[in-house]
Amino acid sequence: MVINAETRTSTSNSSYDIPIMTESSIPHLRRTKNSSQLILNGKPFLMLAGELHNSSLSSANFMSTVWQNMKDANINTLLGSVTWEMIEPVEGQFDFSELDKVILGAREFDMHLVLLWFGSFKNALSTYVPRWVKRDVKRFPRVHVSEAGAVIRTEELLSPFCEAAWTADAKAFTALMTHLKEFDSKHSTVLMVQVENETGVLGDSRDRSNIANKLFKEPVPAHLITQLQSVQTEDLHPCFSTRHPHFSSLIPGKSTWKESFPVGPDADEAFMAYHISRYVNHVATAGKAAYPIPLYTNVWLNFDDPTVLDLQGLPPIVGGGSSAGAYPSGGPVPHTFDIWKVNTPSLDFLAPDLYFHDYEEVCKQYTHAGQPLFIPEQRRDERGARRVWLAYGTYAAIGASPFGIDSLPAKDSPITKHYGLLNSMSSFILEKQATNPEDVMGFFFDEKEDTAVEPVWQRTFGTFTVTVERSFVFGKPGPGAGMVIHQGDGNFLLIGWGFQVVFSSPDPKATFTGILYSVEKEIVDDGKGGKMLKTGRVLNGDETRSGEFMIMPNEEPDYGGFPIAVTIPCGTMIAEVEAYSLFEDEEDF
Ligand code: DGJ
């Protein structure tokens, strides 16, 4: 049941009336078959998101120059930071005036926000904590790392072992969430909050301070071993089980970190992951109690093998780092995912910042255990924009969010076109994500010269196998992106450009499989506040290569000097096609 704002009740056990909301009246996650969707005002919502530069949201005045451009880029949700130093400049004195102005600005433009809580941790440092925290090293001790030559260096990073720090952070975060509840729960401008940002330790695989050294020598907390051992092996993250095959034989409460995670710096990393996740959960739990909208944290990914990165000539280090400390040690990377899951029940999911990794591999890793996929940071260029089709399509993402979006004019941004098409089809995509996510396949084709092996995307839907290839042209083949949605009985919606679809039958008895009928579709208002598909051109002949495959052309197909214009440029970028198979008897031959 959805309860609207007017039916809320209130409590008087506080100095001011705090409305009690049923969970369903505020943004929340709803379970689907194998994931979850974000529910806004009772309906699933697809976040076509972008992340602002770190400082943008700190000024409502600056944001007034940003909103329209973001609307023009077809973005419906912006991720932006709210920092501890900004809301609690003096201990115990909270100031939300600038944030409120920002939220009002967002509402004016019908824009949603995901707030990034830059509290104790931002990119493995504590640069966003208030001045009174930074200076008070007695109350808020720091992490110390060991440099080459065994020199111990003080980091600008709060100790994750410091209860005073997580208590103070949790207090500030609670104030923020309480304020959001009062200021925003009737509007749901703010959809979710990210708790901290890219946590971990850089420069060493673990903290070398006295308290860390002492705790590191103690047995691994028994609950961690017991809880991890109670997870079915197939439900543990494959990256964890592969690294720690012996884990099931450990005796809870007996082995130290080094004994439990004996390979390389794994013990250091697991130790940091345990304590940082515990810290983040303290903060998240306090905030969630105040206003229970979805909470998550993001991760600076590691890599094991630099050759699998999508670098295009950049040095591998931009891909994240291969050893704990070169990337933040203790963050929720795939091989510490299970430690984080055990320790952070107040977070709804863990989210990957995905710039240079194999996009599909990371989508798989972060949909493990039925997690909804949300990509808070990714590339904002064409390469990044194309990949969101895979996230929204195959992996039923609730959102993907190119980073540094506000400094890109909408007219020059690749996001504008991709999000425009996704936005027009969002009700169809959301319906499938909720009911039959296996009916959707997203894909992309990069510029041909960037692609060593020509990608082919294939899946069997019911009685048809769909093969998606780069769209054929006589000249230079272009890039492409899109998704296929199976509507049942061989009927498919094709969305996107730069690809072609071939149908075949997995049944060896089929003697012919081809296209029965195909039409261009246009999205129009249905007159009842929704969208519907209206039929346009009937596509046949050259447009289906005389029945061989269905072409979804590029904007400007390159004829390569071929004198006959056989390929049309893309139109609405939406088509419906029906496939069919024949099963002939011998006498039919
Ligand atoms: C990752 C961080 O999470 C973002 O806040 C931003 O700093 C980007 N890196 C780009 O530097």
Side-chain angles (χ1 to χ4, degrees):
M1 182 177 66
V2 179
I3 302 215
N4 62 35
E6 283 63 47
T7 59
R8 292 172 300 161
T9 52
S10 50
T11 178
S12 56
N13 61 358
S14 107
S15 51
Y16 45 82
D17 271 357
I18 298 173
I20 300 173
M21 319 280 296
T22 60
E23 208 195 81
S24 57
S25 61
I26 57 176
H28 62 280
L29 296 176
R30 180 191 288 160
R31 285 293 307 161
T32 58
K33 222 173 186 176
N34 48 16
S35 184
S36 296
Q37 287 186 302
L38 179 73
I39 305 300
L40 171 64
N41 299 326
K43 291 197 200 127
F45 183 71
L46 199 64
M47 286 180 277
L48 299 171
E51 182 165 326
L52 299 161
H53 290 287
N54 288 165
S55 307
S56 305
L57 212 68
S58 65
S59 161
N61 201 26
F62 178 80
M63 284 307 296
S64 68
T65 67
V66 167
W67 301 118
Q68 187 57 54
N69 184 39
M70 298 293 88
K71 286 304 279 184
D72 294 346
N74 296 312
I75 288 168
N76 62 24
T77 305
L78 283 172
L79 279 65
S81 54
V82 174
T83 70
W84 190 359
E85 63 175 350
M86 180 179 155
I87 66 158
E88 198 184 5
V90 176
E91 185 168 11
Q93 293 179 20
F94 292 98
D95 180 357
F96 297 107
S97 51
E98 200 66 22
L99 175 64
D100 291 352
K101 284 190 237 160
V102 167
I103 294 175
L104 290 175
R107 277 183 207 154
E108 208 180 304
F109 285 83
D110 196 22
M111 184 69 80
H112 289 280
L113 296 172
V114 171
L115 298 181
L116 314 176
W117 172 238
F118 288 4
S120 300
F121 306 122
K122 153 69 167 99
N123 290 30
L125 290 172
S126 302
T127 46
Y128 282 92
V129 303
R131 278 174 274 197
W132 55 270
V133 175
K134 271 188 194 161
R135 285 181 187 282
D136 193 348
V137 80
K138 293 271 178 260
R139 187 172 161 205
F140 304 112
R142 301 290 184 83
V143 163
H144 296 85
V145 297
S146 173
E147 286 179 337
V151 176
I152 296 290
R153 191 182 73 224
T154 303
E155 290 278 274
E156 194 169 43
L157 174 59
L158 297 184
S159 165
F161 307 98
C162 174
E163 187 172 342
W166 79 61
T167 305
D169 186 333
K171 194 172 149 210
F173 188 57
T174 306
L176 169 66
M177 297 303 281
T178 305
H179 181 74
L180 287 180
K181 181 175 181 175
E182 286 166 37
F183 192 75
D184 193 53
S185 56
K186 274 190 187 166
H187 302 267
S188 296
T189 302
V190 178
L191 300 176
M192 314 197 291
V193 177
Q194 177 185 295
V195 187
E196 315 294 347
N197 188 88
E198 294 191 347
T199 51
V201 177
L202 281 172
D204 201 341
S205 50
R206 75 170 172 87
D207 183 5
R208 307 281 162 183
S209 62
N210 293 333
I211 174 75
N213 290 340
K214 177 177 169 293
L215 288 171
F216 187 67
K217 286 189 202 127
E218 291 178 5
V220 174
H223 85 93
L224 179 67
I225 310 250
T226 314
Q227 281 180 267
L228 286 174
Q229 286 178 344
S230 71
V231 179
Q232 297 287 328
T233 314
E234 63 273 19
D235 292 336
L236 284 172
H237 200 290
C239 295
F240 179 84
S241 354
T242 315
R243 280 200 184 212
H244 312 298
H246 60 282
F247 202 79
S248 54
S249 58
L250 293 178
I251 300 167
K254 290 267 179 262
S255 328
T256 63
W257 290 94
K258 199 72 214 145
E259 287 155 359
S260 304
F261 300 91
V263 182
D266 279 359
D268 290 352
E269 190 177 10
F271 171 74
M272 292 313 297
Y274 178 82
H275 287 284
I276 295 170
S277 58
R278 196 162 156 256
Y279 187 120
V280 173
N281 194 56
H282 279 301
V283 176
T285 305
K288 193 124 193 164
Y291 186 42
I293 58 176
L295 302 180
Y296 71 94
T297 200
N298 63 335
V299 55
W300 170 331
L301 291 168
N302 71 305
F303 60 82
D304 289 328
D305 174 5
T307 63
V308 301
L309 294 173
D310 188 6
L311 290 170
Q312 292 178 287
L314 293 165
I317 191 64
V318 304
S322 62
S323 57
Y327 64 89
S329 179
V333 292
H335 57 270
T336 58
F337 182 100
D338 294 306
I339 298 175
W340 273 80
K341 278 307 220 191
V342 163
N343 258 359
T344 56
S346 293
L347 294 181
D348 294 273
F349 54 88
L350 306 170
D353 290 348
L354 174 45
Y355 290 97
F356 298 107
H357 284 64
D358 179 312
Y359 200 90
E360 178 145 35
E361 191 52 36
V362 175
C363 289
K364 276 188 201 145
Q365 285 174 340
Y366 282 85
T367 44
H368 178 74
Q371 275 215 136
L373 180 64
F374 182 66
I375 301 170
E377 295 181 38
Q378 62 152 66
R379 291 167 64 152
R380 65 178 197 177
D381 56 5
E382 264 292 358
R383 233 177 146 77
R386 278 178 215 131
R387 281 156 175 70
V388 304
W389 291 89
L390 189 63
Y392 290 112
T394 308
Y395 293 92
I398 59 174
S401 172
F403 177 80
I405 203 67
D406 44 323
S407 57
L408 203 54
K411 66 177 176 28
D412 305 326
S413 169
I415 303 301
T416 308
K417 177 176 166 188
H418 292 264
Y419 275 12
L421 187 55
L422 277 162
N423 182 39
S424 71
M425 295 301 289
S426 61
S427 54
F428 296 84
I429 297 167
L430 285 164
E431 196 192 317
K432 279 293 178 185
Q433 283 188 346
T435 55
N436 294 80
E438 65 283 1
D439 279 347
V440 190
M441 179 173 75
F443 44 81
F444 61 87
F445 299 92
D446 287 325
E447 304 287 346
K448 194 148 168 47
E449 63 262 41
D450 296 347
T451 315
V453 182
E454 190 59 0
V456 172
W457 305 83
Q458 193 173 65
R459 190 187 296 174
T460 297
F461 299 88
T463 55
F464 294 95
T465 299
V466 170
T467 305
V468 182
E469 304 161 339
R470 188 192 298 276
S471 135
F472 169 84
V473 283
F474 285 106
K476 184 168 179 265
M483 65 172 72
V484 169
I485 302 181
H486 185 216
Q487 308 195 97
D489 297 331
N491 187 291
F492 294 88
L493 270 182
L494 311 182
I495 311 162
W497 62 91
F499 65 94
Q500 62 195 29
V501 176
V502 187
F503 298 97
S504 57
S505 173
D507 187 339
K509 290 199 230 58
T511 53
F512 178 90
T513 300
I515 295 169
L516 191 62
Y517 192 66
S518 58
V519 289
E520 185 168 38
K521 289 281 182 179
E522 188 189 351
I523 195 94
V524 293
D525 291 336
D526 65 1
K528 294 179 244 160
K531 301 272 184 206
M532 60 175 263
L533 287 168
K534 188 175 146 204
T535 300
R537 289 175 285 186
V538 176
L539 302 171
N540 206 335
D542 291 344
E543 282 66 73
T544 64
R545 194 108 169 148
S546 302
E548 215 178 306
F549 43 71
M550 176 73 193
I551 309 179
M552 298 294 284
N554 254 302
E555 265 166 334
E556 291 172 21
D558 182 356
Y559 297 115
F562 189 70
I564 310 174
V566 284
T567 314
I568 56 171
C570 69
T572 62
M573 297 178 273
I574 307 166
E576 190 174 40
V577 55
E578 202 173 330
Y580 77 116
S581 290
L582 294 178
F583 296 85
E584 296 163 290
D585 299 321
E586 256 176 41
E587 68 257 29
D588 296 324
F589 279 84

